[in-house]
């Protein structure tokens, strides 16, 4: 995973942030689940004086749906993501070419586990 460049990241960028550590005995970022997030703002931490990035991140809610939360991360814990390209590949394989077709597929439960794609669609990164 490649970290973001704090000087180049700006509000509205899509990034990836750690959400949950499922295997604490592993080293580094191996053993973590990550979520897509949108950068809201960046700054310097009050206590640490280190660069921080405030994001709106996707959190699990229910099948094919998501919640959001505003969180602050140290800049070295925020990573670049290729989630848009991966989502486009999955949608192309399923023959989905519009937002309406995607909504129909979710309602008819043709696809599951698409909360992260729904987040990208709702935030304007797809379609």
């Amino acid at each position: 995973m490649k970290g973001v460049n704090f000087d180049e990241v700006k509000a509205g960028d899509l990034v990836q942030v750690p959400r949950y550590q499922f295997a604490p005995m592993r080293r580094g970022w191996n053993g973590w689940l990550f979520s897509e997030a949108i950068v809201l703002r960046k700054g310097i931490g009050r206590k640490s004086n280190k660069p921080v990035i405030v994001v709106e991140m996707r959190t699990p809610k229910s099948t094919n749906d998501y919640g959001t939360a505003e969180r602050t991360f140290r800049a070295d814990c925020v990573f670049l993501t290729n989630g848009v390209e991966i989502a486009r590949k999955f949608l192309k394989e399923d023959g989905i070419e519009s937002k309406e077709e995607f909504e129909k597929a979710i309602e008819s439960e043709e696809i599951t586990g698409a909360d992260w794609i729904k987040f990208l669609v709702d935030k304007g990164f797809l379609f």
Side-chain angles (χ1 to χ4, degrees):
M1 291 186 306
K2 186 175 179 188
V4 297
N5 183 342
F6 182 74
D7 297 327
E8 293 178 5
V9 72
K10 60 187 178 309
D13 286 352
L14 184 67
V15 294
Q16 187 173 346
V17 294
R19 181 179 74 209
Y20 176 74
Q21 185 179 18
F22 66 86
M25 64 284 205
R26 296 185 182 177
R27 296 179 153 224
W29 292 111
N30 186 9
W32 282 82
L33 293 177
F34 290 84
S35 278
E36 290 74 28
I38 299 173
V39 174
L40 297 177
R41 61 188 173 277
K42 60 183 186 174
I44 303 297
R46 283 182 253 162
K47 294 181 182 177
S48 67
N49 279 342
K50 302 221 184 233
V52 295
I53 298 175
V54 179
V55 299
E56 178 185 8
M57 67 182 285
R58 178 186 62 83
T59 58
K61 184 178 175 184
S62 64
T63 304
N64 288 337
D65 204 1
Y66 64 91
T68 60
E70 186 176 307
R71 299 277 191 264
T72 302
F73 291 91
R74 287 192 341 243
D76 60 347
C77 296
V78 179
F79 302 97
L80 298 174
T81 183
N82 60 348
V84 174
E85 290 83 22
I86 294 170
R88 282 190 182 128
K89 178 184 163 202
F90 287 153
L91 293 173
K92 185 177 180 182
E93 288 175 0
D94 290 334
I96 298 172
E97 297 179 0
S98 69
K99 186 175 181 177
E100 293 77 22
E101 290 176 0
F102 178 71
E103 295 294 332
K104 280 184 187 177
I106 286 180
E107 287 176 14
S108 65
E109 297 182 358
E110 290 177 19
I111 57 175
T112 59
D115 57 331
W116 65 281
I117 297 176
K118 187 172 182 346
F119 178 79
L120 296 175
V121 170
D122 291 345
K123 297 301 179 180
F125 289 97
L126 292 172
F127 306 122

